[in-house]
Amino acid sequence: MAALKTRLPPMTGLTVFEAAARLASFTKAAAELGVTQAAVSRQIHLLEGSLGFPLFHRLHRRIELTEKGLLLSSSTTNALNAIAETISSLTRDSDEELAISATVSFSQFWLLPKVSGFSRQYPEVRMRIISQDKTPGMEGDVDIAIRYGNGMWPDGKADFLFDDEIFPVCSPEYADRLGEYVDLTDLVRHPLISYDTNDPSWTGWNEWLAAFSVQAPKRSSGMRCSFYAETIHAALNGQGIALGWRRLVQDLLDQNRLVRITSHAMATRNGYFIVVPARRERTEPVKKFAEWLKLEAALSALGGRP
């Protein structure tokens, strides 16, 4: 087989071509690479000359890949990404942290109470939990994110973890004031603790009550919170009734710190997913953590460990 050097065009030209093809712009490619637009144009011209066919259609104020350009763009991007990931894995510290991104509520109520089990099983893996109230991102060095949604995100590969159900909860002391049976029409007369969010996937009191044909009060006497975790803490402290997402509050129910006050429950539209960066190979720590998450999800669905 002939040496690669004689079969491949100059790497500089391929690198410039990959950027121009991905960004669909010589100007944007120049900005990304830190060179002039003229330098990009020249490298593309030299590459096309060495290949013997055009890679772009030069149109008015824009460029389009030719059919052969499309094929080369796909293979070049995949090859360069593979090289970058291999170099990253080779130069990575063997005692590297595993960066895990999740919402504050998922971290506080589901992940942190369980994660010591992973540490006991894999003591060599150091973890860093990145909690945020928005959709957990893939920015920086995040290795794995736990997200709630429909599983379709352009920046990551998603594996289903579990879905959920939602029902009203309160402290045992507050439940004593309600009595044994709580009618939903009576429920709205009590303080309903709510969570202010612009997330359309989140289920609030209006939607939950509407699912059971109950009109939400125009103005609830309940506390309004900026974070879901705050609504649960308010319920724990007897401030009223909150909507409990079963997967998040199950430990508190098991400990009798919260109680479920009605059999009515609403299934969530979406689910929780394990998400890894789209163009990154799964490292062994990521694989181990993902498998541990799935096992814990299965065990919690069964009501605990066998």
Side-chain angles (χ1 to χ4, degrees):
M1 182 179 289
L4 284 176
K5 185 175 181 181
T6 64
R7 300 172 58 212
L8 293 175
M11 185 59 67
T12 300
L14 286 175
T15 303
V16 172
F17 165 70
E18 190 280 331
R22 173 167 42 83
L23 298 170
S25 168
F26 288 179
T27 302
K28 291 179 180 178
E32 180 178 285
L33 298 170
V35 298
T36 64
Q37 191 269 355
V40 169
S41 182
R42 175 169 173 75
Q43 286 294 329
I44 298 298
H45 179 74
L46 291 173
L47 181 60
E48 290 175 326
S50 69
L51 294 172
F53 54 80
L55 297 169
F56 293 97
H57 296 298
R58 276 76 166 175
L59 306 175
H60 181 61
R61 294 188 177 180
R62 64 188 178 92
I63 56 173
E64 278 186 3
L65 285 164
T66 63
E67 185 175 347
K68 291 183 178 180
L70 279 169
L71 292 173
L72 183 61
S73 171
S74 177
S75 61
T76 302
T77 297
N78 290 337
L80 291 178
N81 278 330
I83 293 170
E85 288 299 328
T86 300
I87 292 173
S88 177
S89 65
L90 292 173
T91 57
R92 190 175 290 163
D93 185 352
S94 60
D95 193 29
E96 180 191 28
E97 286 183 330
L98 177 64
I100 304 151
S101 178
T103 61
V104 173
S105 55
F106 191 92
S107 294
Q108 183 171 342
F109 296 125
W110 195 93
L111 182 59
L112 291 176
K114 297 176 173 60
V115 79
S116 60
F118 178 82
S119 295
R120 287 192 297 270
Q121 190 173 355
Y122 301 105
E124 75 280 6
V125 179
R126 293 186 299 119
M127 290 176 288
R128 178 161 60 95
I129 308 297
I130 305 168
S131 299
Q132 50 198 285
D133 196 51
K134 61 180 182 179
T135 298
M138 291 293 180
E139 298 84 4
D141 59 353
V142 170
D143 296 298
I144 187 167
I146 304 167
R147 291 176 175 172
Y148 175 78
N150 60 13
M152 300 176 65
W153 293 284
D155 61 341
K157 303 174 187 175
D159 288 336
F160 180 75
L161 189 59
F162 50 66
D163 51 18
D164 212 342
E165 61 176 346
I166 309 166
F167 44 76
V169 296
C170 65
S171 68
E173 295 77 17
Y174 198 92
D176 289 341
R177 294 159 55 184
L178 296 174
E180 292 186 6
Y181 177 76
V182 179
D183 184 84
L184 294 186
T185 56
D186 293 331
L187 184 70
V188 297
R189 299 188 179 96
H190 291 268
L192 304 180
I193 307 168
S194 61
Y195 162 44
D196 290 335
T197 177
N198 295 321
D199 184 352
S201 69
W202 190 262
T203 300
W205 276 111
N206 287 352
E207 183 180 354
W208 193 89
L209 290 167
F212 301 100
S213 302
V214 176
Q215 179 68 43
K218 292 183 178 179
R219 186 172 182 177
S220 172
S221 60
M223 181 183 296
R224 294 171 57 189
C225 303
S226 298
F227 302 98
Y228 179 69
E230 293 175 343
T231 70
I232 297 303
H233 283 293
L236 287 167
N237 290 313
Q239 292 290 328
I241 304 166
L243 283 175
W245 291 54
R246 184 177 67 82
R247 295 285 191 165
L248 301 185
V249 302
Q250 188 61 56
D251 285 350
L252 297 173
L253 294 171
D254 292 343
Q255 297 162 12
N256 202 39
R257 297 177 63 196
L258 286 178
V259 295
R260 179 174 176 172
I261 58 175
T262 175
S263 62
H264 292 84
M266 177 181 176
T268 56
R269 296 187 299 272
N270 297 310
Y272 287 90
F273 290 81
I274 302 166
V275 189
V276 298
R279 294 183 177 179
R280 189 184 305 172
E281 290 295 324
R282 296 194 180 194
T283 63
E284 281 304 310
V286 169
K287 292 178 183 178
K288 291 174 181 177
F289 192 74
E291 288 305 311
W292 174 82
L293 282 171
K294 292 177 182 178
L295 178 60
E296 284 296 325
L299 290 172
S300 64
L302 293 172
R305 297 184 177 278

